[in-house]
Amino acid sequence: MSKDALRVVAAAGVLSVVLGLGACSMPGSGNAGASDGGSSSSSSSSGSSSYEAELKQALQSASSDFERGVLERAVKAGRISESDYREANEKYQECLAAKGDEEFDTDQSTGLMQEHMNTDDNYDSAKANEDSMACAKGTNLQIRDLYERMVQNPSNADEIELVVGCLKRRKLVPDSFTKQDYLTEMGKPEGSSKLDTSSDAFSQCLANPSK
């Protein structure tokens, strides 16, 4: 019997390359689209200056000539280009396929990469995790998460504040709702929170709170 899992990378923090069957739903992760030719919102002057330190740090952590080339260009331009982001993800996928992880399918039609895993009873999660970590290193490890954050949050604002603002705009919480209220509700056991975390509107705020 097949299972289908969608892995969405959390934007806050370093790229998670451990793939499980659960979907990650942290603020800032999701499917926001980027425009063609690297002309996304990440190219704004505010976004460029806001991520200067992160770009330089990523460059220092680069582990391949490919990553270094991408990040050297990004430091000069103030952003990672969409074409470099796509190439990094394609290299990652090619590496997985070479290791026999054919169940991975990368869809970049939305502008940001998603990974779908169709797994059966013989699925080896330990091998998939090991292969994912090995393939991310030197391809998209230092690139993917940072690019997606720049697209979704060009000003590098507080991720949770962005989510709270989105919830307010969509009338999912009262105007008096605060970041602390959000943290409190999200920290409650499943089913006991006042937030309707299963709604499409809530999921959309997590996926792209700037919209």
Side-chain angles (χ1 to χ4, degrees):
M1 181 177 179
S2 295
K3 299 179 182 178
D4 181 65
L6 169 63
R7 172 180 172 269
V8 181
V9 174
V14 178
L15 168 67
S16 171
V17 293
V18 179
L19 302 178
L21 293 180
C24 184
S25 59
M26 289 181 65
S29 65
N31 313 332
S35 59
D36 291 336
S39 58
S40 70
S41 58
S42 64
S43 63
S44 67
S45 59
S46 61
S48 299
S49 60
S50 298
Y51 284 93
E52 181 178 2
E54 284 91 337
L55 287 169
K56 290 180 178 179
Q57 183 177 358
L59 176 57
Q60 291 178 348
S61 301
S63 60
S64 71
D65 290 341
F66 169 74
E67 276 187 332
R68 277 186 287 274
V70 168
L71 292 165
E72 284 171 355
R73 289 191 292 275
V75 168
K76 292 178 181 178
R79 60 179 177 84
I80 297 170
S81 71
E82 182 181 1
S83 60
D84 279 338
Y85 167 77
R86 286 180 177 272
E87 185 177 0
N89 290 335
E90 287 165 2
K91 287 180 178 293
Y92 168 74
Q93 184 185 19
E94 290 168 0
C95 175
L96 287 174
K99 291 179 178 292
D101 293 306
E102 300 295 340
E103 69 269 19
F104 288 88
D105 174 50
T106 303
D107 175 13
Q108 297 196 43
S109 62
T110 58
L112 300 186
M113 189 176 78
Q114 298 176 344
E115 289 175 86
H116 304 267
M117 293 180 291
N118 294 313
T119 64
D120 56 29
D121 294 337
N122 296 320
Y123 172 69
D124 187 343
S125 61
K127 179 182 182 299
N129 290 341
E130 181 178 350
D131 289 350
S132 177
M133 288 186 285
C135 286
K137 185 176 182 181
T139 60
N140 68 359
L141 181 61
Q142 302 298 332
I143 297 166
R144 177 179 173 181
D145 177 65
L146 186 52
Y147 174 87
E148 292 175 1
R149 286 173 56 204
M150 294 179 81
V151 169
Q152 296 174 333
N153 181 11
S155 64
N156 205 7
D158 185 299
E159 296 280 347
I160 297 177
E161 292 285 9
L162 289 178
V163 172
V164 170
C166 179
L167 296 176
K168 289 180 180 180
R169 290 194 301 275
R170 292 174 179 266
K171 307 300 182 184
L172 300 178
V173 297
D175 289 340
S176 59
F177 197 79
T178 66
K179 174 181 177 178
Q180 186 56 53
D181 292 333
Y182 176 87
L183 293 172
T184 298
E185 292 301 320
M186 293 301 288
K188 291 181 179 180
E190 185 176 357
S192 64
S193 173
K194 296 177 182 178
L195 297 173
D196 185 6
T197 57
S198 63
S199 71
D200 289 341
F202 186 89
S203 297
Q204 289 166 5
C205 279
L206 291 183
N208 192 355
S210 296
K211 281 193 172 182

